Each structure stands twice: as structure tokens, then as C-alpha cells.
Amino acid sequence: MPEKKVSRRVLYTRNALRDAFIDLITEQPLSDITVTDICARADINRSTFYLHYRDVDALLVEIENNIIDHIEQEFSRAPHEHVFEELVAFLKLLQQTPRIPKLFYALTGEQGDPRFIRRLQQLLFNAFQQGWGLLMPESSRNYKFLIYSYTLPGVISLLSSWLRGDAPDMTAEQTAELLHTLITHGMSGISPLFLRPDAGVLNLS
């Protein structure tokens, strides 16, 4: 049975509501945002909102699903040996779309959505499993999971800080290289980077 075509009016309304909600997420705590706030920003009445979404959380889930799906599509296409290049391309994409970094930071911050963080963690764990399977082929899944549990908060914090603009001189390539080094070699892999003349802001001398 063919899928029912969504009208342009419905698409416009949903896009307007999503855009309004995303703007609000980057401006104020997630828990403070109401249906009234979203409708006022989108210039759409409340009854129309409820034709499309049950509540604020239903709209939030849709936005988060779109983010997760996009990230999965970006990295699922690349073989493991090209994941670094895909990460660089993804970071550059984020830089070119200013609102996305703000949204990502808002959702993963102290007043963000724990559900989104858990989903992001699971996505990253699945990606790390592939690489660690090559680095530690004899290690158990539990052993890898503990390493992942130690590494992941740092990865998300580093990405959030970079997206927030805390290190404006760090390029996407440098950020991806730093992440790759920390994940695969830990802090012991950092010292050689400080000594390299081409490491840019990583050279602290």
C-alpha cells in the first residue's frame, strides 16, 4: 500500500514548529519550554500544534531522532579505515551550520536531555566497538565496555566544548586527530603532539 503523501501545508507547519523549538532550546533550559512558547515563536496556534504532536516531548523526540539518524547515516557509509575522514567532514558540516552546534551543546549540557545523551552514547559505543575490535581483538566485550565508559564522557565533553567555541583556533582536522589520539592511545599519546611543529595550537611551547 503506497504511503500517504504529506501535504506542503503539513510539512510547512511541522518545520515551523521544529525550527521554533530548536531556537528556544538554544536560548533557555529545555525544561522551561512550553507549547505556548513554541507556538508563539512559530506564530502557530496551540490547536494546530496538537494536530501534529502530543506534547513538547513528542516534538523533542522527533528532533532527536533526526539528529541520531543523520549521524548514523554519515558514519555507516564509511568503512572503518575512513571513519577519521568522515569525522572531519561531519565536524566541518557542524561548523557550517551554526545552529546545529548550539542545539547539540544544549541537548548534551547540564540542562539537556539525558535520553538523547544515552542514545548518543550507544551510537558512539557501536562505532568504537568496530575500532577496538581491531586494536584489542582478544579483549572481552566487558573489558571494552569499561574502557568505553571511561572514555565516552571525555569525548562528549570535548565535542561540546569545541562546538561551543571554547577552542576557536582548533580546526576540524585537529579536533578529530585529538579525539582519535585520546581514544586509541590515551594521555600517553598526547606528548608527541606537543613536540610536532605542525600541530598548531597543540604546541604549547
Side-chain angles (χ1 to χ4, degrees):
M1 186 174 180
E3 293 184 6
K4 186 177 180 181
K5 187 176 181 180
V6 180
S7 71
R8 279 187 289 182
R9 180 185 293 273
V10 169
L11 288 175
Y12 172 82
T13 301
R14 289 179 180 171
N15 285 335
L17 290 170
R18 282 196 296 266
D19 287 346
F21 191 27
I22 290 171
D23 285 342
L24 290 168
I25 290 173
T26 64
E27 296 171 6
Q28 63 190 74
L30 186 58
S31 58
D32 291 348
I33 302 173
T34 65
V35 171
T36 299
D37 295 331
I38 298 169
C39 291
R41 180 65 63 94
D43 195 21
I44 290 174
N45 61 54
R46 287 172 56 91
S47 61
T48 300
F49 177 95
Y50 288 114
L51 288 175
H52 299 277
Y53 301 102
R54 182 184 69 257
D55 51 25
V56 171
D57 190 63
L59 176 54
L60 177 62
V61 168
E62 181 176 280
I63 291 172
E64 292 176 349
N65 286 343
N66 289 339
I67 296 173
I68 295 294
D69 288 346
H70 179 73
I71 296 174
E72 285 181 329
Q73 290 171 10
E74 284 292 317
F75 290 100
S76 64
R77 293 196 303 259
H80 173 70
E81 60 268 22
H82 297 305
V83 167
F84 178 80
E85 289 80 2
E86 287 294 323
L87 176 59
V88 171
F90 181 66
L91 293 178
K92 286 183 176 180
L93 174 65
L94 292 181
Q95 279 187 315
Q96 294 164 6
T97 315
R99 192 169 60 168
I100 294 180
K102 290 182 180 180
L103 174 62
F104 183 91
Y105 178 72
L107 289 175
T108 58
E110 292 182 1
Q111 301 185 53
D113 183 13
R115 175 185 52 206
F116 177 74
I117 296 174
R118 287 193 299 270
R119 294 185 64 191
L120 186 62
Q121 289 174 338
Q122 185 60 51
L123 187 154
L124 291 173
F125 176 66
N126 294 338
F128 289 168
Q129 276 279 85
Q130 300 176 26
W132 286 340
L134 298 175
L135 290 171
M136 300 176 290
E138 305 300 323
S139 299
S140 69
R141 189 178 189 277
N142 288 338
Y143 183 81
K144 294 173 185 175
F145 182 77
L146 290 177
I147 296 175
Y148 161 81
S149 299
Y150 170 79
T151 305
L152 183 67
V155 171
I156 292 181
S157 178
L158 189 154
L159 282 175
S160 295
S161 295
W162 184 75
L163 290 172
R164 190 174 56 217
D166 291 344
D169 295 330
M170 288 283 286
T171 65
E173 288 84 357
Q174 288 175 316
T175 303
E177 181 180 357
L178 179 57
L179 272 173
H180 181 265
T181 301
L182 288 170
I183 291 169
T184 55
H185 302 292
M187 291 300 294
S188 63
I190 297 297
S191 295
L193 291 178
F194 291 133
L195 302 177
R196 284 173 36 187
D198 61 339
V201 295
L202 292 178
N203 189 340
L204 301 183
S205 58

